[in-house]
Amino acid sequence: MKKTKLLTSFLTLTMLAATLTSCNKADTKDVQNTVSKKTSSEPGPFGKYNEPVTLRLVRTLDPNVKFDEGQSIEKNGYIDEIKKNLNIDIKFDWICAPGDWDQKISLAISSNNLPDAVIVDTTKFNAMLKFDQIADLTSVYNDYACDLLKSFYNSGGESLKKLTERDGKIMGIPATSPKANGFNEMWIRQDWLKKLNLKVPTNMEELKATAKAFVEQDPDGNGKKDTIGIVGPAKSGTLAGTDGNQFGLDPIFSAHQSYPGYWLKDSNGKVVYGSTQPETKKALEALSNMYKEGLIDKELLVRDDSMQPVLDGKAGIFFGPWWEGYNIADVYKQNPAPDWQAYASPRAEDGNYYVHLSSPATNFLVVNKNCKNPEAAVKVINLLLRDEAKWIENGLSKNTGTGAAYPLFAVFDNVDELESSYNILNKYMKGETTIEDVDFSTHKLLKGDMEAIKKLKKEPLDDYSINNWDLKSDLVSSNLPRLVSIMVGDRPLSTEKNIKEVYSLYYGQTDTMTSRWSNLQKLEKETFAKIIMGTAPIDSFDDFVNKWNAQGGEKILKEIAEISK
């Protein structure tokens, strides 16, 4: 299965999880605040304006999108729904191809020629804050955000507030994403472990011994020495990322308490870059030795597709996030089906599993400080969250979908959505809860999960090995990938006790990074690859650190230290 296909399926399911929900109806009391005094509308999240209100926006348009007959990006079913429900007229200042977005929105920021509202990434959000271009949305959020949107915001806790709030003021509404998306873990062939009479490796030494056995002891039983211990990233992949990094070697770095790409504070409170720290040098040395011993795929950073040896039954271990259950879906149709299980491993020397986590939000709804009706943008988001499920069911603008044509679109979800789903499904299978006991107002996919797991799961109900699912069911293609992703992929995050979560101090881009970051990343990638693959000595790491600092890194560190005060 190609990565593009995976991401398309995954994002579609994530969007459904976030939008197959219902926001509470607006309070009908006569609420008065500084915003509603300026407008003539019913109060609350879904109050309709008595007089038309215009909202000026910008957005991208994929040239391959096919609209329903008679519709366009400027006139379609979603815009009609916004007008009908809220009496908001949507107007676009400009529309561009996705590839031109960064340049266009950057120009709008630098020239202070902004729309009324826009959804931007962390870097643009911070730039707009710096230039004092966006409105304080605290009162707008309190009075107009629907309950579902508020639940998403609250689920992010302090980590999310640090991103969105300044001096206690909410400066942007975050499009929150599940924490599990950035949680990388070890996926391993449990059936190979059983065949070779091995236990699940828990630390680096056990991981190396297991990988060696997978390479040398013919776990697939074909009489040939053709199996791979650990599959790494393909030529387009990343050795260590800052998000859910499929096939990255992140857990091995983390076992050495190394966090490449992350901005951290050392024991003295000084801001440092994870990629240049002594722990990273130690991790690279360990990886170089593992590669030399043949424990890591010899085609590391060379393969076109690292998933292929997994699907071909030639790999024993790879690293990735919870959603790998979608990615390996084709193996469920094999006979016998490989038993891939996920664990928080390898652990560090102190027994803890250190995991770097991605930002709880990477996109933010911001409103121009000069916008006359800042609450209008939040109402447009509320409507999406409340009605998208109905629109999908009714075939509204079916050729485009909300992602391609909704005026203000982002994926919203609970930060702890996967852990909640795992815990409820686990209790359900133990008979500790029923469908009638569960509030699905923010977990609408969960009801379908509960219905499907009863049909797919075989005894023993608490063992999620692949042979304990009904692989002949019609639900194998439609429901099993998601259920494996939750019950196997999210199990470590939901159940393990010795997990230490590491967040970056900063997820955006500083001024110096705008001009220097691309070259610094290239330097880092090439140095790390050469060290691991043995074409450069481990001491070349010290030269890399010196070059990194001299070529802009030291200046970037000062900028991030200032930002993170």
Side-chain angles (χ1 to χ4, degrees):
M1 182 182 296
K2 298 297 183 183
K3 188 175 181 180
T4 303
K5 182 179 178 182
L6 161 71
L7 292 177
T8 300
S9 300
F10 171 63
L11 288 173
T12 299
L13 282 158
T14 304
M15 284 187 281
L16 285 172
T19 56
L20 288 173
T21 54
S22 61
C23 291
N24 288 347
K25 293 182 179 180
D27 186 351
T28 57
K29 293 191 299 182
D30 185 18
V31 179
Q32 293 294 324
N33 56 66
T34 56
V35 174
S36 63
K37 287 178 181 177
K38 297 186 296 182
T39 62
S40 176
S41 81
E42 291 298 317
F46 302 100
K48 184 176 181 179
Y49 293 99
N50 296 324
E51 300 295 331
V53 166
T54 298
L55 195 63
R56 295 169 38 250
L57 306 174
V58 296
R59 69 154 294 150
T60 60
L61 175 60
D62 188 325
N64 297 314
V65 168
K66 304 288 186 185
F67 284 89
D68 295 2
E69 186 176 354
Q71 295 191 6
S72 68
I73 190 65
E74 295 169 308
K75 182 172 176 52
N76 55 63
Y78 306 122
I79 289 178
D80 292 343
E81 285 291 304
I82 292 170
K83 176 65 174 178
K84 181 179 72 174
N85 286 276
L86 302 172
N87 202 13
I88 296 174
D89 293 318
I90 300 296
K91 303 295 181 184
F92 290 101
D93 285 355
W94 49 262
I95 298 164
C96 70
D100 297 329
W101 170 259
D102 192 69
Q103 181 180 11
K104 290 280 288 185
I105 193 64
S106 295
L107 180 61
I109 294 170
S110 62
S111 63
N112 198 25
N113 186 20
L114 298 170
D116 288 330
V118 63
I119 292 175
V120 294
D121 62 17
T122 305
T123 299
K124 303 299 185 296
F125 175 49
N126 286 321
M128 296 167 92
L129 279 171
K130 177 182 177 181
F131 296 129
D132 190 26
Q133 295 175 323
I134 53 180
D136 172 5
L137 296 178
T138 308
S139 63
V140 170
Y141 170 83
N142 290 334
D143 295 333
Y144 289 95
C146 70
D147 287 351
L148 180 56
L149 187 56
K150 288 181 177 178
S151 77
F152 292 156
Y153 190 89
N154 292 335
S155 72
E158 290 302 315
S159 296
L160 186 63
K161 288 182 178 180
K162 288 180 181 179
L163 291 176
T164 60
E165 297 184 11
R166 299 295 184 273
D167 299 323
K169 299 176 181 178
I170 299 174
M171 303 305 296
I173 307 296
T176 46
S177 57
K179 178 171 66 175
N181 288 356
F183 186 96
N184 295 285
E185 56 198 353
M186 177 185 71
W187 288 78
I188 190 168
R189 285 283 299 266
Q190 194 84 28
D191 50 324
W192 282 13
L193 290 174
K194 184 176 180 180
K195 181 175 182 179
L196 302 181
N197 197 28
L198 298 171
K199 295 181 179 180
V200 176
T202 61
N203 56 40
M204 281 300 301
E205 291 306 313
E206 291 176 0
L207 176 66
K208 289 188 283 187
T210 300
K212 185 175 183 179
F214 284 174
V215 171
E216 297 181 350
Q217 297 184 28
D218 189 28
D220 65 347
N222 70 350
K224 300 177 182 179
K225 195 174 180 180
D226 59 354
T227 46
I228 300 168
I230 301 171
V231 179
K235 59 185 178 183
S236 61
T238 305
L239 287 167
T242 55
D243 202 341
N245 187 23
Q246 185 184 27
F247 295 113
L249 302 176
D250 307 67
I252 295 179
F253 280 98
S254 295
H256 294 85
Q257 295 189 51
S258 161
Y259 312 101
Y262 274 56
W263 307 100
L264 311 161
K265 284 188 177 180
D266 64 13
S267 57
N268 297 317
K270 180 182 177 182
V271 175
V272 297
Y273 182 51
S275 299
T276 63
Q277 298 309 294
E279 292 84 359
T280 298
K281 182 178 181 179
K282 185 177 179 181
L284 288 170
E285 185 173 22
L287 285 166
S288 180
N289 290 332
M290 292 173 70
Y291 182 84
K292 184 178 180 180
E293 294 170 20
L295 309 183
I296 298 174
D297 182 16
K298 287 295 184 183
E299 295 189 47
L300 175 75
L301 298 174
V302 175
R303 289 188 183 275
D304 290 326
D305 182 7
S306 293
M307 182 53 67
Q308 201 57 55
V310 172
L311 300 180
D312 289 344
K314 294 300 180 183
I317 299 169
F318 71 92
F319 300 103
W322 72 278
W323 42 258
E324 296 296 352
Y326 292 104
N327 215 15
I328 61 174
D330 285 353
V331 306
Y332 309 144
K333 302 173 185 177
Q334 297 176 13
N335 188 18
D339 187 15
W340 286 99
Q341 297 291 311
Y343 299 93
S345 182
R347 296 178 183 272
E349 290 181 355
D350 62 5
N352 292 315
Y353 184 72
Y354 291 87
V355 57
H356 68 64
L357 292 175
S358 56
S359 173
T362 55
N363 290 292
F364 306 84
L365 169 69
V366 295
V367 178
N368 190 324
K369 66 182 299 182
N370 297 318
C371 178
K372 293 180 179 179
N373 300 106
E375 77 289 341
V378 174
K379 289 188 176 190
V380 170
I381 296 295
N382 292 340
L383 191 66
L384 172 71
L385 297 179
R386 188 189 73 180
D387 289 353
E388 186 177 15
K390 179 179 67 177
W391 295 337
I392 292 172
E393 184 178 350
N394 294 340
L396 181 70
S397 297
K398 61 182 178 181
N399 287 335
T400 58
T402 46
Y406 196 76
L408 275 175
F409 181 82
V411 176
F412 295 81
D413 210 339
N414 288 306
V415 171
D416 60 352
E417 178 65 27
L418 277 305
E419 293 76 76
S420 294
S421 295
Y422 174 88
N423 290 328
I424 292 172
L425 286 169
N426 190 45
K427 290 180 179 179
Y428 181 55
M429 296 308 291
K430 292 179 179 179
E432 297 174 0
T433 191
T434 68
I435 288 181
E436 290 72 25
D437 295 331
V438 179
D439 176 10
F440 296 110
S441 62
T442 62
H443 311 288
K444 263 297 175 60
L445 273 187
L446 185 56
K447 184 176 182 180
D449 293 336
M450 295 175 78
E451 292 170 344
I453 199 170
K454 277 285 183 158
K455 297 175 182 177
L456 277 166
K457 191 68 183 67
K458 301 192 300 184
E459 296 282 356
L461 297 180
D462 60 348
D463 185 340
Y464 291 95
S465 298
I466 195 63
N467 292 327
N468 295 326
W469 298 89
D470 181 3
L471 300 182
K472 295 181 179 180
S473 170
D474 293 338
L475 301 179
V476 167
S477 296
S478 58
N479 294 81
L480 186 58
R482 174 173 169 80
L483 290 172
V484 169
S485 292
I486 295 173
M487 304 311 295
V488 174
D490 196 65
R491 177 177 55 198
L493 182 55
S494 297
T495 63
E496 295 285 349
K497 304 300 182 185
N498 296 328
I499 291 176
K500 302 296 182 182
E501 300 174 353
V502 177
Y503 286 93
S504 183
L505 291 173
Y506 185 68
Y507 291 94
Q509 190 174 54
T510 68
D511 292 341
T512 302
M513 289 171 74
T514 303
S515 58
R516 302 292 183 87
W517 194 238
S518 179
N519 288 335
L520 289 175
Q521 284 188 306
K522 181 181 179 183
L523 173 66
E524 178 178 326
K525 182 176 181 180
E526 290 178 351
T527 302
F528 286 15
K530 288 177 180 178
I531 290 174
I532 292 174
M533 300 170 79
T535 59
I538 186 61
D539 287 341
S540 66
F541 178 84
D542 301 324
D543 184 46
F544 153 71
V545 173
N546 291 331
K547 288 181 178 178
W548 188 89
N549 283 315
Q551 294 176 17
E554 190 171 347
K555 189 174 181 181
I556 293 170
L557 284 169
K558 291 179 180 178
E559 291 172 334
I560 292 175
E562 183 65 27
I563 292 170
S564 58
K565 281 184 178 178

